[in-house]
Amino acid sequence: MATSVGMVPETLPVAARPAVTLSDVSIETPEELAGLRASGRVVAEALRAMRRAVRPGITTGELDAIAARIFRRAGARSAPQLTYGFPAATCISVNDEAVHGIPGPRRLREGDLVSLDVAAELNGFYADACVTVGVGRARPAANRLAAAARDALAQALGTARAGAPQSAIGAAVERAATARGYAVCSELMGHGIGRHLHEAPDVPSIFDPTLTERLTDGLVLTVEPIVSAGTGAVRQGGDGWTVCTADGALAAHEEHTIVITDGAPLVLTA
């Protein structure tokens, strides 16, 4: 579940957030890591089940119910519901909806592009991930966009290690997306996570030269490129939650929750 700047009411504008150093938001004990791993497993299980169920004719509400059942069985709770009173267990966004789409009676159609965004709380620990998939025989343009989002995430994870500049993540996302001819929805970004759904720091998906701190061992983040076939500008939808591309272009969203290490990051939601 992405944070945004000045758009979604539950997120503070960057300037209003307290100053936090990266070392303030790192995990410190094996017990904390175990808790994060357990939450990540629930998120991964829900995403796999939802993805298997995607087909023409299924409603977004039916997909949401799959995740809700997995949460109940694991003793987990929907993080968006718990934190912000979101009106469903998960966020499901279709076609030009970039993030925070509300599941309901809408039926997926052949060729749609759907993003499944799942965040869960389990025993006080949070994890968050998203995958974008085509419905049935997806259009080639939709498949290319989804592939670009996956590649942007992979490239960003390749830079996310202790000692790297914080700005390296966004630089990698932006470089990968633009190389394929797509725009990054730069108003939407990843975030710190752990004991809350949204924690410091913000994790922009474009290069930000003001992010001068270095990533630290044990830092827990979501990396979530959201890319568009249009300009990358977004607007708030009429329901107060859904964020859409401003020009109606397709959007794709990929996300993992990771722990920074001295080597490759530990991906908790794979």
Side-chain angles (χ1 to χ4, degrees), residues 1 10 78-89 91 102 197 239-241:
M1 190 178 192
E10 74 270 16
S78 161
Q81 281 183 334
L82 179 64
T83 306
Y84 301 122
F86 188 73
C91 302
I102 303 173
L197 176 56
D239 60 19
W241 292 100

Side-chain angles (χ1 to χ4, degrees), residues 1 9 19 36 44-45 52 73 95 98 100 105 112 123 141 149 157 163-164 171 179 189 205 218 221 228 230 259 265:
M1 190 178 192
L36 287 165
E45 180 184 356
R52 287 195 298 268
R73 187 171 66 231
N95 293 334
H100 306 164
D112 280 343
N123 298 325
L157 295 184
M189 62 192 75
S205 289
L221 303 171
S228 167
V259 181

Side-chain angles (χ1 to χ4, degrees), residues 1-269:
M1 190 178 192
T3 60
S4 60
V5 179
M7 291 193 61
V8 180
E10 74 270 16
T11 59
L12 286 174
V14 172
R17 296 174 191 169
V20 178
T21 65
L22 297 190
S23 60
D24 290 335
V25 290
S26 298
I27 59 172
E28 297 180 347
T29 68
E31 291 76 19
E32 288 178 321
L33 180 57
L36 287 165
R37 283 185 184 274
S39 181
R41 284 194 295 270
V42 173
V43 168
E45 180 184 356
L47 271 178
R48 285 193 296 270
M50 294 170 74
R51 184 172 188 165
R52 287 195 298 268
V54 169
R55 64 181 186 278
I58 195 169
T59 68
T60 54
E62 288 170 329
L63 290 173
D64 184 69
I66 291 171
R69 286 194 296 271
I70 290 171
F71 289 170
R72 286 194 298 270
R73 187 171 66 231
R77 294 182 289 180
S78 161
Q81 281 183 334
L82 179 64
T83 306
Y84 301 122
F86 188 73
T90 66
C91 302
I92 301 179
S93 305
V94 183
N95 293 334
D96 66 325
E97 297 171 350
V99 288
H100 306 164
I102 303 173
R106 179 178 187 171
R107 293 192 180 276
L108 296 181
R109 299 173 301 177
E110 190 86 27
D112 280 343
L113 191 64
V114 59
S115 297
L116 310 170
D117 190 358
V118 177
E121 179 274 339
L122 178 65
N123 298 325
F125 293 96
Y126 290 74
D128 188 3
C130 183
V131 63
T132 297
V133 297
V135 180
R137 294 184 298 276
R139 292 164 284 173
N143 284 332
R144 287 194 296 270
L145 181 65
R150 289 193 299 272
D151 180 59
L153 177 59
Q155 296 298 319
L157 295 184
T159 70
R161 60 182 60 210
Q166 188 183 351
S167 59
I169 293 174
V173 169
E174 186 174 24
R175 187 166 54 247
T178 57
R180 291 179 179 236
Y182 298 113
V184 176
C185 296
S186 59
E187 294 175 79
L188 306 168
M189 62 192 75
H191 49 90
I193 191 170
R195 288 290 190 173
H196 304 89
L197 176 56
H198 290 134
E199 299 178 350
D202 293 309
V203 185
S205 289
I206 58 171
F207 174 66
D208 183 346
T210 69
L211 299 179
T212 58
E213 285 198 71
R214 300 274 170 175
L215 299 174
T216 55
D217 188 37
L219 180 65
V220 188
L221 303 171
T222 72
V223 177
E224 47 181 313
I226 301 165
V227 300
S228 167
T231 65
V234 296
R235 62 175 179 82
Q236 185 74 59
D239 60 19
W241 292 100
T242 308
V243 177
C244 303
T245 58
D247 54 8
L250 288 177
H253 178 191
E254 293 280 330
E255 176 184 12
H256 273 310
T257 296
I258 65 170
V259 181
I260 299 296
T261 75
D262 288 331
L266 175 63
V267 180
L268 300 174
T269 48

